[in-house]
Amino acid sequence: MQDKIPNRTSVLEQLERILQSVDFANSPKLSNFISYIVKVEADGNGDRIKAFSIGVDALGRSETFDPQADNIVRVTAGRARQALGRYYDGPGQHDAIKISLPKGTYRPRFEFNTPFGVDRALAINDNVPSRVSVRATPAVMVLAFLTVCVLTISVFLAWGPNPNSNSDRGDGFRADMPIVEIATFEETGEAELDALLDGLRHRIAEDLSRFRVARIRLEPHTLSPSNRASRSEAADFSLKGVVISTSPTMLQISIIDRADDTLLWSKTTELPDDWKTYSSVMDDGIRSVVLQLVGARGAIPLALERDLAQFATIRSDTEGAPGSGFRCVLLFHAYDASKGEAQRQEAHACLSALIDQDNRDSEVWAAWAMLNFLDWTKAEDYALLDRALSAARKAVSLDPNYANAHEYLGSILMAQGRRGLARESYETALDLNPYKPDLHVLVGWEQALAGDWQSGVEKIERGIAMSPIPAAWMRIPLALDAFRQKDFERSLMQAELMIEAGDDRGIVLALAAAIALGDDERSGALKAQMQARSDTYKSDPMREIRGVFNAPELLSAYERTLAPWLLEPA
């Protein structure tokens, strides 16, 4: 006989439990989506659940919404499906009611998750008397106890506190997670290979941040005073890379336990000339690294197994030839880290050749989008911004699960002043990769631009706290906020941290703060640095800041402060 399904009251109670979990509590979009489809289905109107109705009634799209042209429903459904999986692998694994979203449909499924643990009869029929006893046999009780023990030990050995618990800060970040520092790879003396290896280092950091196993930080090439301060918290593990042969190129990656300098794991891989194979080899390496890091602390939780499976799916060859542009993407990462002109030219030449061939790799289009966007911040050629927007949208269409594509699209939309759409892109990226500090900063960035400085700065500071060595650009709104409040000492400090980390955009912010403080000695040195950057530095000194944080009233205050200096002879 076919089993009965849970009643409406039990389903709605289960929905409330799910909405309190980390993934849904931190994403209004996911919460609205799952609430809508569950309530409509529970009311017996499941045949009304269509992409159009979800887009309009749950996700805020207008009546002109076209699900064929706008993939928000499909992307959100995928995120909800993954979030439900994580919930039932973690805090919901013993819940009586299971809500799932089968692939190929937007209609949820309601079923019983386990035959014991709660009064199942109460969930079947609202009219069952309130006093119902369920007798558990000794064998069932022992099995249930052992299951709970094993799962609990596995989670605590591997993670410490439950990563899905609401006892954390609410964004999935836990300060007790171990720190993994990805060391600079030893240079080979071959410029292109060294650039590729540095790009690879950043790619490894990006991929590792997808998994709830550690806080990831990159060892800087040079240690400024600010970086030394940021590294005061010792790393638990080091990941090191050494090229032990260049013909063929053999890369050895090792994991060191910093507590006693024990070698935990080491693997030597030949880096193939075929870049698609290269991508596959490195993806296998990422999975190995993740498993070794978790294995160093205990058993592997079910949630991590799911994350690893999703990582394999995301990297699979589904659209054209993912991985075929891997070399170009690594070159872009190297440029993005260094902002060096030689690296920019090399990445530009490599990526543009693939774009001309209509490459089908989402990572290639995302890198091309960000490269053009960065060029635009320097030149303000709006053709570059339009090209960046088109490329970012194509990257999203090629792979809706690629977080960087959504992140870059958000930054481009933000520069165009389309803050609502930008925030949607950032939130989608955050759903895909909730443990990437940059995304928390970008959401706060949008809030500050919208005028909610307090909430925005809090979100930015949270993102910075998640990153053992924060990127310099994260401090731009912090310097601006301090200047806005006429706290010029704090503004100067944030700007100087940017400069020490290698971001020259901090120079003009520091100069304005130094002038406002009347610090002639410091402002004199900063003026010389500005002059060394460009011969046209006085024509529009706030141009690069305006390109990423266009707050006209605040930037006008900067320009008024800088005005006496601008009138000085060159």
Side-chain angles (χ1 to χ4, degrees):
M1 184 176 72
Q2 186 177 5
D3 204 358
K4 294 183 178 181
I5 64 172
N7 63 48
R8 180 179 184 278
T9 300
S10 299
V11 167
L12 295 183
E13 289 175 352
Q14 181 63 21
L15 172 63
E16 289 305 311
R17 283 189 284 272
I18 289 171
L19 290 175
Q20 293 171 19
S21 65
V22 171
D23 283 328
F24 289 95
N26 289 325
S27 175
K29 185 190 300 180
L30 281 183
S31 295
N32 291 341
F33 175 88
I34 199 69
S35 296
Y36 175 81
I37 63 171
V38 167
K39 289 176 180 177
V40 172
E41 185 73 35
D43 287 340
N45 299 315
D47 57 340
R48 299 180 185 176
I49 299 175
K50 308 292 183 186
F52 178 82
S53 62
I54 295 171
V56 174
D57 296 336
L59 302 180
R61 290 299 196 251
S62 70
E63 292 292 337
T64 61
F65 171 60
D66 179 2
Q68 299 300 317
D70 185 341
N71 64 4
I72 186 173
V73 176
R74 180 164 59 90
V75 171
T76 307
R79 306 281 61 73
R81 192 173 291 116
Q82 293 171 0
L84 286 170
R86 286 191 289 270
Y87 174 75
Y88 283 106
D89 281 343
Q93 59 188 306
H94 297 303
D95 289 359
I97 309 299
K98 183 173 183 178
I99 298 174
S100 60
L101 185 59
K103 289 186 176 181
T105 181
Y106 297 130
R107 294 184 61 174
R109 176 186 295 165
F110 310 140
E111 56 192 333
F112 290 102
N113 191 32
T114 178
F116 55 87
V118 298
D119 287 345
R120 183 181 179 191
L122 291 176
I124 297 175
N125 192 318
D126 289 321
N127 296 321
V128 173
S130 59
R131 297 179 65 84
V132 177
S133 68
V134 177
R135 183 171 179 268
T137 66
V140 168
M141 293 176 66
V142 171
L143 176 61
F145 175 76
L146 290 176
T147 300
V148 171
C149 286
V150 169
L151 288 170
T152 302
I153 291 170
S154 296
V155 169
F156 275 83
L157 281 176
W159 304 95
N162 188 333
N164 292 311
S165 169
N166 286 329
S167 64
D168 63 15
R169 298 185 336 183
D171 51 20
F173 170 77
R174 300 194 328 275
D176 66 325
M177 288 196 296
I179 294 176
V180 177
E181 181 170 83
I182 302 177
T184 54
F185 289 2
E186 291 188 14
E187 294 187 352
T188 66
E190 297 182 13
E192 181 179 1
L193 179 57
D194 288 338
L196 290 172
L197 290 173
D198 199 46
L200 178 61
R201 200 169 67 100
H202 285 78
R203 167 67 179 271
I204 291 172
E206 175 189 316
D207 283 341
L208 285 178
S209 71
R210 296 172 181 266
F211 303 100
R212 293 164 284 180
V213 296
R215 287 179 287 165
I216 308 301
R217 77 181 182 199
L218 285 162
E219 180 188 26
H221 289 282
T222 57
L223 280 180
S224 65
S226 63
N227 281 333
R228 289 192 181 94
S230 298
R231 296 174 80 248
S232 59
E233 190 174 2
D236 298 282
F237 303 99
S238 286
L239 188 150
K240 299 183 177 182
V242 179
V243 173
I244 59 176
S245 169
T246 57
S247 183
T249 303
M250 303 292 292
L251 176 64
Q252 182 183 69
I253 294 181
S254 306
I255 300 176
I256 310 295
D257 187 336
R258 294 285 286 272
D260 54 9
D261 287 332
T262 302
L263 176 65
L264 297 179
W265 173 82
S266 182
K267 182 176 182 179
T268 300
T269 302
E270 180 179 348
L271 301 185
D273 294 330
D274 171 16
W275 289 96
K276 186 175 178 181
T277 305
Y278 195 134
S279 177
S280 175
V281 165
M282 295 318 300
D283 290 342
D284 288 342
I286 289 294
R287 285 190 288 270
S288 297
V289 168
V290 171
L291 292 172
Q292 291 299 323
L293 289 173
V294 176
R297 307 188 72 204
I300 299 168
L302 295 175
L304 179 59
E305 292 180 355
R306 177 179 291 272
D307 286 347
L308 286 166
Q310 290 169 355
F311 178 71
T313 300
I314 287 170
R315 294 298 195 204
S316 65
D317 191 358
T318 56
E319 285 278 359
S324 60
F326 194 63
R327 171 179 174 274
C328 300
V329 172
L330 293 186
L331 289 172
F332 165 73
H333 281 307
Y335 162 65
D336 192 33
S338 68
K339 298 299 188 293
E341 180 58 25
Q343 288 92 335
R344 190 200 74 82
Q345 291 180 11
E346 191 169 9
H348 189 282
C350 190
L351 288 167
S352 62
L354 290 176
I355 296 302
D356 289 344
Q357 298 166 15
D358 194 26
N359 184 274
R360 305 294 292 170
D361 190 334
S362 177
E363 291 191 65
V364 168
W365 284 93
W368 180 243
M370 199 58 180
L371 184 61
N372 279 275
F373 175 69
L374 292 173
D375 285 349
W376 172 80
T377 63
K378 297 179 180 180
E380 287 198 355
D381 178 351
Y382 281 87
L384 290 171
L385 193 61
D386 291 341
R387 185 189 302 164
L389 179 63
S390 177
R393 283 177 168 163
K394 181 149 188 174
V396 169
S397 69
L398 287 171
D399 184 358
N401 292 320
Y402 185 39
N404 280 10
H406 293 280
E407 176 187 340
Y408 296 165
L409 177 59
S411 296
I412 295 162
L413 290 167
M414 184 77 77
Q416 292 184 327
R418 301 159 75 178
R419 291 199 296 268
L421 291 175
R423 185 164 190 175
E424 284 187 12
S425 292
Y426 289 149
E427 287 177 346
T428 299
L430 201 53
D431 289 341
L432 287 161
N433 191 356
Y435 305 97
K436 186 176 182 181
D438 307 37
L439 297 173
H440 293 270
V441 172
L442 289 169
V443 171
W445 198 294
E446 185 278 329
Q447 290 176 319
L449 269 173
D452 187 357
W453 281 94
Q454 181 175 350
S455 298
V457 167
E458 287 176 358
K459 191 74 171 177
I460 292 165
E461 289 176 339
R462 184 178 304 136
I464 287 175
M466 291 172 69
S467 177
I469 298 183
W473 62 268
M474 296 179 178
R475 300 188 182 278
I476 291 176
L478 299 185
L480 294 173
D481 179 55
F483 193 91
R484 180 183 67 88
Q485 297 185 60
K486 302 189 185 315
D487 187 346
F488 302 121
E489 287 279 5
R490 183 160 58 92
S491 182
L492 179 61
M493 178 195 71
Q494 293 292 345
E496 287 186 328
L497 287 173
M498 289 178 61
I499 298 169
E500 289 173 2
D503 192 333
D504 287 347
R505 290 175 296 185
I507 297 173
V508 69
L509 301 178
L511 175 57
I515 290 173
L517 287 168
D519 187 338
D520 293 337
E521 180 179 355
R522 185 70 183 112
S523 60
L526 289 164
K527 290 174 186 177
Q529 287 180 268
M530 282 291 292
Q531 186 172 357
R533 287 197 73 201
S534 169
D535 294 335
T536 59
Y537 62 96
K538 285 190 174 182
S539 60
D540 187 2
M542 301 302 295
R543 183 183 64 201
E544 289 185 76
I545 301 300
R546 187 182 302 107
V548 295
F549 201 100
N550 190 11
E553 186 175 340
L554 178 55
L555 297 187
S556 293
Y558 269 92
E559 288 167 347
R560 288 192 296 272
T561 302
L562 294 169
W565 164 65
L566 296 175
L567 296 174
E568 293 177 4

